[in-house]
Every structure is written in C-alpha cells, then in structure tokens.
C-alpha cells in the first residue's frame, strides 16, 4: 500500500503496540501483544508482519516510543511517550486539555497545548500503586481477569477501604479482607478508589485544564474513568482506542505529523 506514511512502535513495559498510518493520518493497521522478555526480537517480528500485511518495505519510517524504545534498532528515531501520547490524543479528540495516561508500570499527567504539544507533565514511575500493575496484582489475588475488574468494581455500592499506600501492603490487606469473608467486588471497588486517589492527586498537582482525557491500557477500565470523573467533578473523555495512542502519536509524528 503506497499510502502508508509511517509506523509507530510503542514498546511498553506491559504491552507492545504497532500502528501504521496513511498520509491523511488514519490508522491502516494495528497490533497489540503482551511484552515479551526480548522486546527487540518481538518488535522486529511485529514490524515484519505489519510490512508484509501492507506491502511496504523498510523505507517507510518507523518511530519508536515507550519504555523499551531505545532497544529498537530498526527505528528511524525514537520519541518520548509524553510527546507521542499528547500527539495521538490531540489528533483523535481534536482538543487541548489535561491528559492522564495510565499504563502498566507508570502513570503520567500531560497538559496538551493548542498545537498538540505537551506544555507540562508529571510522571510517576517509582511506585506501582498508581499504575495498572496495582490492579493486575489484585486481579491475580482475587482470580478476576483484568478486563473484568472495572465492571466488577461498579457492580456494587459496598466498598472496602484499602488504607495501604503500597502495592505489597495492599495485597496483604486484601488477603486479610478475604479471610474475613469480605465481598470481592467491594474489595475491588476499594482498590480502584485507591488507585484513582493517587492518580487524582497527581492531576491536582499539575492542575486541570478541561477537558480531562484518558489514555493507556487502564483507560479501558470503566470504573477508573468514572471514579476520576467523580473525584474531579469533570467530564472524562476517551479517544477511540486509548491503549494505542502512544504508537499512533509516534506514527503521526513520523509521517504526516
Ligand atoms: P504500557 O504501555 O505501560 O506497557 P498499557 O498502556 O498497555 O501499558 O497498559 C497496560 C495495563 O492496562 C495493564 O496493566 C492492565 O491493567 C490494563 N488493561 C489492559 N487491558 C485492559 C482491559 N481490557 N480492561 C481494563 N484494563 C486493561
């Protein structure tokens, strides 16, 4: 396909995403896989599959972002996730504002300016408690698949407060709650509240310029979106495919910008 402008690669700590865009900036192909230990080998395989599917060669620029971006030898260049998420979401939603990106191992609050570039940001990559990992540990402990967590948390009005601010201690708290016969859905609701509390305090530190927007894999969790909206009294809007926004932004910046 000669209309392919660029391929964006988001080599994340949890998932690897590839997005190809045409010259108009529309997505023509996408792939998402759990990140494997040899991310450079995995990305090479995904790139070859994308090129074969679209009938293009290595001449099409490939722009890498994400945690593992510097390992991707085949990339034409690499860009930060902050720049790429901002660009992807700006293009998809057409709005400046405050973007919250919650991935598997970090979370970020990014102010997107009127031209789609980040004007300010804050990042948490030190503590798992404000990230998708926090919910994944819980999911494993309660035997609930990650894609069902949000729905289960929203299925009850009961809530078990989780007081620990650390993932490891929160897990011990969950074990005690289970032993006391607490409702797993009420535990899940408390865990979501705890994650959202941490994210919202970061949002307040950066300051909210409406609208609030959400990207990253955790944006697929409806309980997170609703609880952020409740805590901030703001509408929270999502791009079409929030988990692909980093790869999409990278592709846009490599092709049509
Ligand atoms: P990264 O880019 O940091 O590798 P992602 O943005 O892909 O991470 O986010 C991964 C996280 O997204 C996982 O930790 C998981 O909590 C969450 N997630 C992935 N898929 C879903 C889903 N269908 N529903 C809810 N949460 C999800």
């Amino acid at each position: 396909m000669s209309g392919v402008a660029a391929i964006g690669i988001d080599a994340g700590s949890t998932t690897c995403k590839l997005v190809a865009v045409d010259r108009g900036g529309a997505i023509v192909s996408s792939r998402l896989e759990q990140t494997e230990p040899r991310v450079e080998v995995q990305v090479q395989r995904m790139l070859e599959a994308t090129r074969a599917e679209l009938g293009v060669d290595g001449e099409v620029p490939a722009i890498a972002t994400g945690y593992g971006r510097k390992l991707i030898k085949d990339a034409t260049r690499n860009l930060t996730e902050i720049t790429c998420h901002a660009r992807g979401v700006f293009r998809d939603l057409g709005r400046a504002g405050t973007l919250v990106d919650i991935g598997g191992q970090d979370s970020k609050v990014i102010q997107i300016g009127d031209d789609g570039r980040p004007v300010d940001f804050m990042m948490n990559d030190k503590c798992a408690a404000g990230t998708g990992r926090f919910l994944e540990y819980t999911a494993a402990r309660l035997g609930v698949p990650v894609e069902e967590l949000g729905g289960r948390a929203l299925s009850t009005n009961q809530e078990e407060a989780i007081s620990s601010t650390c993932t490891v201690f929160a897990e011990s708290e969950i074990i005690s709650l289970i032993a006391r016969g607490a409702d797993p859905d009420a535990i899940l609701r408390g865990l979501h509240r705890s994650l959202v509390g941490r994210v919202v305090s970061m949002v307040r530190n950066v300051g909210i310029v409406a609208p609030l927007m959400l990207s990253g894999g955790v944006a697929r969790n409806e309980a997170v979106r609703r609880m952020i909206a409740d805590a901030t009294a703001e509408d929270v809007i999502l791009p079409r495919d929030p988990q692909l926004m980093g790869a999409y932004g990278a592709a846009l910046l490599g092709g049509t910008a």
Side-chain angles (χ1 to χ4, degrees), residues 98-103 107-109 130-131 135 154 189 192-204 208 211-216 218-238:
T98 306
L99 171 65
V100 184
D101 164 36
I102 314 175
S107 44
K108 310 175 195 74
V109 179
T131 73
L135 293 178
L154 292 173
R189 202 175 165 89
H192 280 73
R193 187 79 60 197
S194 167
L195 166 84
V196 165
R198 238 154 260 136
V199 170
V200 166
S201 75
M202 198 160 67
V203 171
R204 294 219 163 91
I208 302 176
L212 259 185
M213 301 170 276
L214 212 50
S215 69
V218 178
R220 298 174 68 186
N221 181 319
E222 173 61 10
V224 171
R225 188 190 68 77
R226 280 211 219 165
M227 286 185 187
I228 293 178
D230 287 348
T232 57
E234 296 282 347
D235 285 337
V236 178
I237 57 175
L238 263 71

Side-chain angles (χ1 to χ4, degrees), residues 134-204:
F134 182 70
L135 293 178
E136 277 185 32
Y137 276 130
T138 333
R141 181 55 67 183
L142 294 171
V144 180
V146 87
E147 53 282 359
E148 288 176 22
L149 288 173
R152 294 275 299 263
L154 292 173
S155 71
T156 177
N157 290 325
Q158 305 297 314
E159 190 166 317
E160 294 287 351
I162 307 291
S163 56
S164 304
T165 50
C166 160
T167 305
V168 178
F169 291 136
E171 192 185 5
S172 318
E173 239 182 296
I174 295 162
I175 295 167
S176 316
L177 284 165
I178 295 170
R180 291 211 315 265
D183 173 13
D185 293 349
I187 300 175
L188 282 172
R189 202 175 165 89
L191 280 158
H192 280 73
R193 187 79 60 197
S194 167
L195 166 84
V196 165
R198 238 154 260 136
V199 170
V200 166
S201 75
M202 198 160 67
V203 171
R204 294 219 163 91

Side-chain angles (χ1 to χ4, degrees), residues 16-224:
C16 243
K17 287 81 65 181
L18 249 75
V19 167
V21 296
D22 66 16
R23 298 196 189 287
I27 296 179
V28 290
S29 169
S30 68
R31 287 185 156 68
L32 186 150
E33 295 181 2
Q34 295 300 308
T35 301
E36 295 168 4
R38 298 282 313 277
V39 69
E40 64 280 22
V41 176
Q42 180 180 17
V43 165
Q44 190 58 36
R45 177 176 41 74
M46 291 171 79
L47 251 179
E48 276 161 21
T50 299
R51 286 173 179 152
E53 177 201 330
L54 298 172
V56 298
D57 56 21
E59 295 292 299
V60 172
I63 288 76
T65 188
Y67 180 79
R69 65 183 181 274
K70 297 198 174 130
L71 296 171
I72 314 304
K73 306 270 183 307
D74 233 40
T76 326
R77 61 184 166 129
N78 66 65
L79 294 168
T80 72
E81 288 154 274
I82 291 150
T83 302
C84 293
H85 271 268
R87 171 62 56 177
V89 170
F90 182 75
R91 173 66 192 244
D92 190 280
L93 291 173
R95 310 275 296 267
T98 306
L99 171 65
V100 184
D101 164 36
I102 314 175
Q105 209 108 261
D106 63 25
S107 44
K108 310 175 195 74
V109 179
I110 305 164
Q111 295 289 10
I112 305 178
D114 290 334
D115 60 357
R117 287 177 219 262
V119 289
D120 193 12
F121 75 93
M122 185 178 269
M123 171 146 141
N124 158 38
D125 60 357
K126 298 283 179 285
C127 168
T131 73
R133 186 69 78 229
F134 182 70
L135 293 178
E136 277 185 32
Y137 276 130
T138 333
R141 181 55 67 183
L142 294 171
V144 180
V146 87
E147 53 282 359
E148 288 176 22
L149 288 173
R152 294 275 299 263
L154 292 173
S155 71
T156 177
N157 290 325
Q158 305 297 314
E159 190 166 317
E160 294 287 351
I162 307 291
S163 56
S164 304
T165 50
C166 160
T167 305
V168 178
F169 291 136
E171 192 185 5
S172 318
E173 239 182 296
I174 295 162
I175 295 167
S176 316
L177 284 165
I178 295 170
R180 291 211 315 265
D183 173 13
D185 293 349
I187 300 175
L188 282 172
R189 202 175 165 89
L191 280 158
H192 280 73
R193 187 79 60 197
S194 167
L195 166 84
V196 165
R198 238 154 260 136
V199 170
V200 166
S201 75
M202 198 160 67
V203 171
R204 294 219 163 91
N205 268 327
V206 176
I208 302 176
V209 178
L212 259 185
M213 301 170 276
L214 212 50
S215 69
V218 178
R220 298 174 68 186
N221 181 319
E222 173 61 10
V224 171

